[in-house]
């Protein structure tokens, strides 16, 4: 027979493990959900008209979880850029290759390279970490884009549902980076404290949308990367970005963004600034001095 103290210790251990298992958030879901057929690619082949895909509310909530707490201006860029999902891999590669450039030089490089992508995609070039997320899971990015095109209202409602959960559990709160404005049910805004400075939030969706377990430090659940000034990137889709949450509107460049599943092959959003595009862009030769992290002598790079 085991000593009483050993039996008591075993019983306490079992109880603790049971309580922890009950309060732990569920494991991160795989995307896409197992057994679910992928929606069709777009645009459809010539001569064929594909039906708009349907995503149930539960899948939409899962789909938007990793971006629902992005600040409104950045979130609007992600939603619109996702509808040009086939441009994301090249844009992500370009952003990584130029991530060492300071904002003014990066803006000049975007212009001089005459990049062929939609302004919504160009707007994300200063955010290589965001493009890496989108380019690293193209099934998710394509589904998100198709959902925005086929039922934008449902996507925006799913985002609001997730924000409401994070707010009710105390994870979503005003910080030095962002103001959280709960104007009305279904109208929770996340706005930069400084409109010219955007911070990318990092969080675990399996934590912030679930009731915190006892003793969990809520304040450390959302962290932020360095602030990125968007002033010099205004010509690339960063003018007048907002949401009309109750009307399910996305406003880009101070105009409603009206791309849908039906007009996705022809719609061109009006931008105030039209970027010059060279018919055959010449190779850009710039001189950039790079310094390594160990303080060694800077090396020059010519491209």
């Amino acid at each position: 027979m085991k000593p009483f103290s050993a039996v008591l210790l075993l019983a306490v251990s079992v109880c603790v493990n049971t309580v922890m298992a009950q309060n732990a958030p569920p494991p991160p879901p795989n995307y896409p959900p197992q057994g679910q057929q992928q929606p069709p690619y777009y645009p459809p082949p010539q001569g064929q008209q594909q039906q708009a895909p349907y995503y149930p509310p539960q899948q939409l909530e899962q789909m938007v979880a990793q971006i629902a707490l992005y600040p409104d201006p950045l979130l609007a860029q992600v939603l619109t850029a996702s509808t040009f999902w086939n441009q994301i891999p090249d844009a992500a590669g370009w952003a990584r290759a130029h991530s060492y450039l300071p904002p003014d030089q990066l803006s000049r490089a975007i212009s001089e390279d005459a990049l062929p992508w939609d302004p919504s995609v160009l707007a994300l070039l200063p955010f290589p970490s965001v493009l890496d997320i989108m380019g690293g899971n193209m099934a998710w990015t394509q589904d998100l884009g198709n959902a925005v095109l086929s039922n934008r209202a449902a996507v925006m409602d799913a985002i609001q549902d997730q924000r409401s959960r994070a707010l009710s559990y105390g994870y979503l709160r005003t910080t030095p980076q962002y103001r959280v404005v709960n104007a009305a049910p279904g109208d929770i805004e996340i706005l930069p404290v400084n409109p010219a400075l955007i911070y990318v939030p990092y969080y675990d969706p399996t934590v912030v949308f679930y009731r915190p377990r006892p003793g969990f430090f809520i304040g450390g659940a959302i962290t932020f990367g360095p602030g990125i000034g968007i002033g010099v990137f205004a010509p690339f889709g960063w003018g007048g970005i907002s949401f009309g949450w109750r009307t399910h509107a996305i406003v880009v460049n101070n105009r409603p963004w009206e791309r849908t599943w039906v007009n996705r092959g022809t719609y061109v959003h009006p931008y105030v600034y039209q970027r010059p595009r060279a018919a055959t862009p010449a190779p850009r030769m710039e001189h950039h001095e790079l310094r390594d992290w160990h303080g060694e002598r800077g090396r020059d790079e010519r491209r």
Side-chain angles (χ1 to χ4, degrees):
M1 179 179 295
K2 295 182 179 179
F4 176 77
S5 59
V7 174
L8 179 61
L9 180 62
L10 178 62
V12 171
S13 176
V14 170
C15 291
V16 170
N17 289 336
T18 301
V19 171
M20 292 180 63
Q22 291 175 347
N23 288 280
N30 293 323
Y31 195 90
Q34 293 183 356
Q36 183 159 349
Q37 187 177 3
Q38 287 290 328
Y41 288 103
Y42 81 91
Q46 293 183 357
Q48 297 184 17
Q49 179 64 41
Q50 294 181 345
Q51 185 177 1
Y54 169 74
Y55 300 91
Q58 185 176 5
Q59 186 180 356
L60 286 176
E61 290 184 1
Q62 180 189 37
M63 191 184 299
V64 304
Q66 61 184 317
I67 59 173
L69 303 188
Y70 279 14
D72 284 12
L74 180 59
L75 178 63
Q77 301 288 18
V78 171
L79 294 184
T80 54
S82 70
T83 68
F84 296 93
W85 58 266
N86 53 325
Q87 300 178 7
I88 295 298
D90 288 341
W94 191 97
R96 283 195 305 272
H98 296 79
S99 61
Y100 64 91
L101 292 176
D104 57 339
Q105 293 184 30
L106 182 61
S107 177
R108 186 166 65 250
I110 295 173
S111 181
E112 292 181 355
D113 276 6
L115 300 174
W117 309 314
D118 186 79
S120 63
V121 178
L122 297 178
L124 293 179
L125 292 177
F127 301 86
S129 63
V130 175
L131 284 172
D132 279 343
I133 292 173
M134 300 177 73
N137 190 343
M138 286 304 299
W140 170 77
T141 301
Q142 184 188 344
D143 275 353
L144 178 64
N146 287 345
V148 172
L149 290 172
S150 60
N151 195 344
R152 183 199 314 161
V155 172
M156 294 178 65
D157 286 344
I159 291 170
Q160 285 293 316
D161 288 343
Q162 296 287 48
R163 287 185 174 186
S164 178
R165 290 191 184 97
L167 185 67
S168 67
Y169 294 138
Y171 293 108
L172 181 59
R173 60 177 69 181
T174 294
T175 69
Q177 294 82 13
Y178 295 121
R179 293 184 298 111
V180 177
V181 181
N182 189 6
D187 189 4
I188 301 173
E189 301 177 5
I190 304 177
L191 305 174
V193 171
N194 180 351
L197 201 60
I198 300 293
Y199 294 85
V200 179
Y202 298 99
Y203 59 89
D204 185 346
T206 66
V207 172
V208 299
F209 301 122
Y210 297 89
R211 187 180 303 279
R213 61 181 181 271
F216 182 79
F217 177 54
I218 294 177
I222 302 177
T223 59
F224 298 91
I228 298 176
I230 59 172
V232 295
F233 302 106
F236 311 109
W238 274 107
I241 311 297
S242 64
F243 283 102
W245 288 108
R246 280 179 279 189
T247 59
H248 299 114
I250 302 177
V251 178
V252 179
N253 225 233
N254 296 311
R255 302 187 184 191
W257 186 83
E258 300 293 351
R259 191 163 192 245
T260 66
W261 182 263
V262 175
N263 68 4
R264 67 193 187 280
T266 58
Y267 177 81
V268 177
H269 186 73
Y271 287 87
V272 174
Y273 177 86
Q274 298 297 327
R275 296 181 300 112
R277 299 235 180 140
T280 305
R284 179 169 50 87
M285 300 295 294
E286 284 192 14
H287 175 82
H288 301 297
E289 181 178 332
L290 302 181
R291 300 186 183 277
D292 60 35
W293 294 104
H294 301 288
E296 298 175 3
R297 186 177 179 179
R299 62 183 177 87
D300 294 339
E301 177 186 89
R302 289 188 181 274
R303 293 176 290 113

